[in-house]
Amino acid sequence: MCGRLRSRLWSIVITLSPIAVVESPFAGKFAVPRQSGLAPSIESFVRVDAAWTDGLTGLEGVSHVWLLFLFHAVPPGRVSTRVRPPRLGGNARTGVFSTRSTHRPNPLGLSLVQLVSVEADGLRVTGGDLLDGTPIVDIKPYLPWSDSAPDAHNALAPEPPEQLVVEWSVKAQAALEAACGDDVASVRQQLSEVLAFDARPAYHADASRHYAVEIAQWHVQWRHLANGVVEVVAFSER
Ligand code: SAH
């Protein structure tokens, strides 16, 4: 490529128009899974703009899709070449491109989700890590023979985050059963998957404290016991 053309490429500015919006159980950042696939039972709906629903044709035969989205809820601030990922304890810095940080030069995210069903107005998916209201700029099918690398490794994040054991107190379980009818097992599973990855804000590690979060229409309270156990202490519908 000649030098003049190459230097012009740096000044390309494009406008991205969302083609869909995510409806997820996560109204706030607190307790959102840190990566797609970590809470595989969590269900979200990708509501596709009517102008683009015809573009979903053919996805019936696809098990997983990539969602390309805008990190629309990142607080404004200077984007730096180095970030402090929670993975490295929140103090050590590494290059932004070696992380999945939400603070990037272009605020684009990428998540792999399982396709549950293709509907007239969008896609029902599981395993998402997106906030409610996240704008989606593209959807692509997962290609198992190209998108997976069996010999891949990542020295910064060699293993999934530690998973805690989630127990429900008798009182919380009774409240769950009273509120959820046929959905008891499913709601318990979804909430337990989220809490298993330590939903506390990074700066909290207080064992005696009760934490609370709202996930979909549910209000859950929990505490951290010793030895990697989380106990759900209260459950209610908001
Ligand atoms: N899988 C994506 C996102 C990883 S970071 C990627 O790798 O690009 C995951 C975190 O993004 C979540 O814990 C949540 O706090 C944050 N997040 C999700 N949707 C967001 C949005 N619309 N705006 C800002 N942050 C968001």
Side-chain angles (χ1 to χ4, degrees):
M1 196 184 290
C2 77
R4 224 168 55 128
L5 177 56
R6 196 184 302 152
S7 65
R8 256 194 278 143
L9 293 180
W10 291 110
S11 56
I12 288 180
V13 174
I14 68 162
T15 307
L16 298 175
S17 301
I19 49 100
V21 174
V22 170
E23 294 169 5
S24 90
F26 307 112
K29 277 197 177 176
F30 197 31
V32 186
R34 287 179 201 135
Q35 207 43 260
S36 53
L38 287 180
S41 303
I42 286 289
E43 205 172 276
S44 304
F45 188 70
V46 180
R47 187 167 296 283
V48 175
D49 188 315
W52 292 107
T53 47
D54 188 46
L56 303 176
T57 309
L59 280 176
E60 304 80 12
V62 169
S63 67
H64 293 71
V65 291
W66 292 107
L67 300 177
L68 284 80
F69 62 93
L70 298 176
F71 285 119
H72 75 303
V74 172
R78 204 173 66 84
V79 174
S80 144
T81 55
R82 298 266 180 151
V83 296
R84 294 190 180 94
R87 259 299 160 134
L88 299 181
N91 286 322
R93 285 174 179 269
T94 184
V96 63
F97 303 125
S98 71
T99 75
R100 304 293 279 261
S101 168
T102 57
H103 296 267
R104 323 186 68 80
N106 292 302
L108 291 172
L110 175 71
S111 290
L112 182 64
V113 292
Q114 181 156 11
L115 199 45
V116 177
S117 59
V118 181
E119 300 183 9
D121 50 356
L123 304 176
R124 198 155 296 286
V125 303
T126 50
D129 56 347
L130 308 185
L131 286 176
D132 189 43
T134 296
I136 303 285
V137 291
D138 205 359
I139 298 168
K140 301 194 192 213
Y142 180 75
L143 294 177
W145 44 268
S146 168
D147 291 349
S148 79
D151 53 353
H153 67 274
N154 183 327
L156 290 184
E159 302 289 339
E162 186 203 353
Q163 224 171 330
L164 308 169
V165 172
V166 180
E167 295 172 350
W168 286 61
S169 70
V170 172
K171 184 183 135 211
Q173 177 70 21
L176 173 76
E177 286 169 11
C180 294
D182 289 347
D183 292 335
V184 169
S186 155
V187 173
R188 180 173 161 138
Q189 177 67 21
Q190 291 181 57
L191 297 177
S192 298
E193 284 176 9
V194 169
L195 298 182
F197 283 107
D198 198 344
R200 289 177 294 185
Y203 46 87
H204 279 257
D206 183 348
S208 61
R209 220 188 119 143
H210 283 197
Y211 298 87
V213 72
E214 277 165 1
I215 298 172
Q217 69 271 45
W218 315 118
H219 180 85
V220 212
Q221 279 179 47
W222 76 96
R223 62 184 177 144
H224 285 249
L225 306 177
N227 305 326
V229 177
V230 161
E231 185 191 33
V232 179
V233 293
F235 172 92
S236 59
E237 205 162 345
R238 20 180 190 140

